Amino acid sequence: HEQVESLYPCPGWVELDPEVLWSQFVGVIKEAVQGAGLHMRQIAGLGISTQRGTFITWHKRTGKPFHNFISWQDLRSAELVNSWNKSLLLKVIHVIFTVLHFLTGNDRYLAPSFLTFSTQQTSMKLSWVFKNIRQAEEAAKKNNCCFGTVDTWLLYRLTKGSVYATDYSNASATGIFEPFTKCWNPALCNLLSIPMSVYPPVKDTSFNFGSTDSEIFGVPIPIMAVVADQQSAMFGECCFHPGDVKLTMGTGGFWNVNTGEHLFASRRGLYPLIGWKIGEEVVYLTEGCMSDIGTAIKWAQDINLFTNVDETAKMARSIVDSQGVCFVPSFQVSVNDPYLCASFMGLKPSTTRNHLVRAILESVAFRNKQLYDIIVKKVRIPLQTIRADGGVSNNSFVMQMTSDLINKKIEKPANADMSSLGAAFLAGLASGFWTDKEQLKKLRRIEVVFEPQKNSEEYRPAMDTWLQAMKRSLHW
């Protein structure tokens, strides 16, 4: 499981090299098959799970990209986001849709009534591309420009250009796809001057997308599932029922609630997604996200706050508290501020590495509590099981503190990499390897269950201090 190295060509810009991503993707598949002692001929199907908000545009005829992948973490659209959010036009849109929602009671009009843009959305960065990259703009005018998230690009490359498509889970995570109508959103594209001709067709999640070109792996391999990473992790955790909750703590943090057939309109801090579409079945999710979880921990390791990530829980427990030290990552949960700065506050001469590490881990648990509270308040479905995954779920300090703060049990599976398991489950269903979801449930293995041990009120003073530190870090 190899990480593609991010590129930082300008301050705030985060990119990935498409050729490096492609060669690592192919290399990982070959290694995995070889490592399992198998031959490519034995592979019944391939499931692809990818990061969602990272995208690229390329020339339809030549296949040549107009730029590197622009990452979901990229901030190049910050000024655009700011000017749009302050614009008179957006205020007018809010008023119109508030009145429409009041008159009709239709939830479809609720999201546009408080529409705000953020740097994490693909829509704003794609708008930036057509304003700043002339070749992409020219090609789009001639119907020669393709847009794709990572999955679409990989499908295109795997089939040597013969398959151009995405699935409902990836499309719904772009912010440009309307989950109510299950179509790319023409009104939003018009607003942001994005040509409608650039979007790929949208297919089912568990579906035969075609086969890989035989030159790549020596034999053609059917591509049986394409799914976005968070929805895939949800599927891998077997969160199949309304009220099931999944918490992924990887590079970023994501809370997802299965809302079944009901699509909840966006609420502040939460937004609706299509979890997966399998034939007639469409499952909706509500998601709350926070950036910079694994990123912050990796940064702390890079500056030598610790040598091995496994020792961080022990370091945090070696002291009774963080001594008033707070860590604020540059994330957007309760505030829509692209200029929020990452910071340590409350440093003293007595502050040690342990205090800094504990402050970083506490910030993860505090943000989990924030998002959980928003979900409980806004999602009108009784919450059932909570299952955690992702690299940071291996940290027992974060897991225990989160369980204490939300006063709920959290299950952690034996395998923390649920995105790849979910893709395998979906591909296996499409190829007939498994016949139904009940068979998948039997494959679940729980490693540990975290139960509340402390009253959440005991954390109140520390969390209040942290919230104060957050306010100080705004609008940097």
Side-chain angles (χ1 to χ4, degrees):
H1 194 78
E2 207 175 341
Q3 192 80 29
V4 178
E5 200 67 36
S6 293
L7 309 170
Y8 306 97
C10 297
W13 291 30
V14 188
E15 297 184 349
L16 302 173
D17 184 314
E19 290 308 317
V20 170
L21 187 144
W22 166 247
S23 63
Q24 282 190 212
F25 172 77
V26 171
V28 163
I29 292 174
K30 287 178 177 173
E31 252 174 69
V33 172
Q34 208 177 346
L38 299 169
H39 190 277
M40 286 294 179
R41 282 192 304 272
Q42 295 168 276
I43 307 302
L46 176 65
I48 301 172
S49 159
T50 52
Q51 203 183 78
R52 298 174 308 180
T54 299
F55 74 93
I56 195 166
T57 62
W58 68 94
H59 196 285
K60 191 180 276 183
R61 216 165 17 83
T62 65
K64 192 171 181 292
F66 295 117
H67 50 85
N68 281 338
F69 272 104
I70 297 175
S71 167
W72 65 280
Q73 297 164 303
D74 188 281
L75 297 173
R76 72 186 64 195
S77 60
E79 280 177 34
L80 207 54
V81 165
N82 237 13
S83 62
W84 262 108
N85 286 344
K86 287 176 181 169
S87 70
L88 180 63
L89 179 56
L90 199 62
K91 289 180 176 68
V92 171
I93 289 167
H94 288 174
V95 171
I96 291 168
F97 282 98
T98 301
V99 171
L100 279 171
H101 182 249
F102 176 75
L103 295 174
T104 64
N106 189 334
D107 260 10
R108 252 194 85 181
Y109 301 125
L110 192 59
S113 71
F114 50 74
L115 170 71
T116 50
F117 293 106
S118 93
T119 54
Q120 287 188 8
Q121 289 164 336
T122 304
S123 53
M124 271 299 166
K125 285 179 278 212
L126 190 54
S127 179
W128 182 94
V129 163
F130 290 115
K131 280 180 168 60
N132 292 275
I133 299 176
R134 267 203 48 229
Q135 301 100 301
E137 189 197 8
E138 298 288 313
K141 281 177 187 164
K142 294 173 185 164
N143 202 5
N144 261 333
C145 180
C146 295
F147 157 84
T149 39
V150 180
D151 60 300
T152 305
W153 167 253
L154 290 176
L155 266 178
Y156 188 83
R157 290 294 296 262
L158 283 167
T159 59
K160 294 263 175 94
S162 68
V163 177
Y164 176 50
T166 187
D167 93 297
Y168 284 91
S169 68
N170 278 289
S172 74
T174 59
I176 323 168
F177 188 82
E178 172 56 76
F180 279 96
T181 57
K182 299 187 195 65
C183 294
W184 297 105
N185 189 331
L188 186 63
C189 291
N190 212 7
L191 197 65
L192 300 178
S193 310
I194 302 170
M196 283 295 288
S197 63
V198 302
Y199 298 113
V202 186
K203 309 285 186 193
D204 282 9
T205 308
S206 185
F207 175 78
N208 189 342
F209 283 83
S211 291
T212 64
D213 189 278
S214 52
E215 274 182 34
I216 299 165
F217 300 115
V219 289
I221 297 171
I223 302 161
M224 303 306 280
V226 164
V227 59
D229 56 2
Q230 297 314 314
Q231 290 96 315
S232 188
M234 190 85 174
F235 203 87
E237 288 273 30
C238 296
C239 291
F240 301 141
H241 307 289
D244 283 349
V245 181
K246 180 232 23 131
L247 162 60
T248 294
M249 292 181 287
T251 310
F254 299 86
W255 282 84
N256 295 86
V257 184
N258 183 324
T259 59
E261 296 170 6
H262 301 286
L263 180 63
F264 282 88
S266 292
R267 300 287 197 283
R268 292 184 199 281
L270 300 176
Y271 48 92
L273 289 172
I274 295 172
W276 49 85
K277 183 175 182 298
I278 305 172
E280 292 305 300
E281 180 199 38
V282 180
V283 170
Y284 293 104
L285 312 178
T286 287
E287 180 172 282
C289 88
M290 46 206 176
S291 58
D292 300 334
I293 285 188
T295 317
I297 292 169
K298 187 183 180 300
W299 167 79
Q301 187 173 10
D302 291 345
I303 63 162
N304 300 319
L305 281 185
F306 55 87
T307 46
N308 188 332
V309 79
D310 298 337
E311 70 197 61
T312 54
K314 195 177 164 190
M315 289 172 78
R317 283 201 189 91
S318 71
I319 46 178
V320 288
D321 57 34
S322 68
Q323 226 183 46
V325 176
C326 295
F327 176 69
V328 180
S330 53
F331 71 108
Q332 297 148 49
V333 171
S334 55
V335 279
N336 193 19
D337 177 15
Y339 299 110
L340 180 65
C341 75
S343 52
F344 275 112
M345 290 192 199
L347 300 176
K348 305 164 189 68
S350 57
T351 300
T352 65
R353 287 179 188 203
N354 292 352
H355 293 115
L356 298 177
V357 168
R358 183 171 174 128
I360 291 170
L361 299 186
E362 282 183 347
S363 76
V364 177
F366 288 149
R367 283 177 295 151
N368 279 337
K369 165 72 171 159
Q370 272 190 320
L371 266 179
Y372 178 79
D373 285 350
I374 294 171
I375 288 164
V376 168
K377 199 172 158 189
K378 303 286 187 189
V379 178
R380 302 183 298 274
I381 287 179
L383 302 184
Q384 308 297 329
T385 55
I386 299 176
R387 294 167 181 163
D389 63 86
V392 183
S393 71
N394 291 321
N395 190 297
S396 59
F397 179 85
V398 171
M399 292 293 287
Q400 187 56 58
M401 190 170 165
T402 300
S403 174
D404 290 345
L405 283 166
I406 68 173
N407 195 31
K408 289 278 178 192
K409 283 197 300 191
I410 306 175
E411 294 177 6
K412 184 198 162 297
N415 169 17
D417 190 358
M418 279 293 144
S419 296
S420 46
L421 186 64
F425 280 175
L426 286 155
L429 284 172
S431 59
F433 189 81
W434 294 294
T435 50
D436 60 33
K437 296 207 262 316
E438 289 308 308
Q439 286 181 299
L440 303 179
K441 286 181 192 174
K442 289 172 189 162
L443 301 172
R444 284 195 70 239
R445 295 286 176 270
I446 299 169
E447 184 182 88
V448 60
V449 178
F450 290 88
E451 300 201 32
Q453 290 176 2
K454 268 188 188 181
N455 188 320
S456 62
E457 280 305 303
E458 289 184 44
Y459 296 101
R460 173 74 54 195
M463 189 158 177
D464 286 346
T465 307
W466 179 77
L467 288 167
Q468 221 179 329
M470 245 188 70
K471 282 179 190 154
R472 294 276 175 95
S473 304
L474 298 175
H475 317 300
W476 184 251

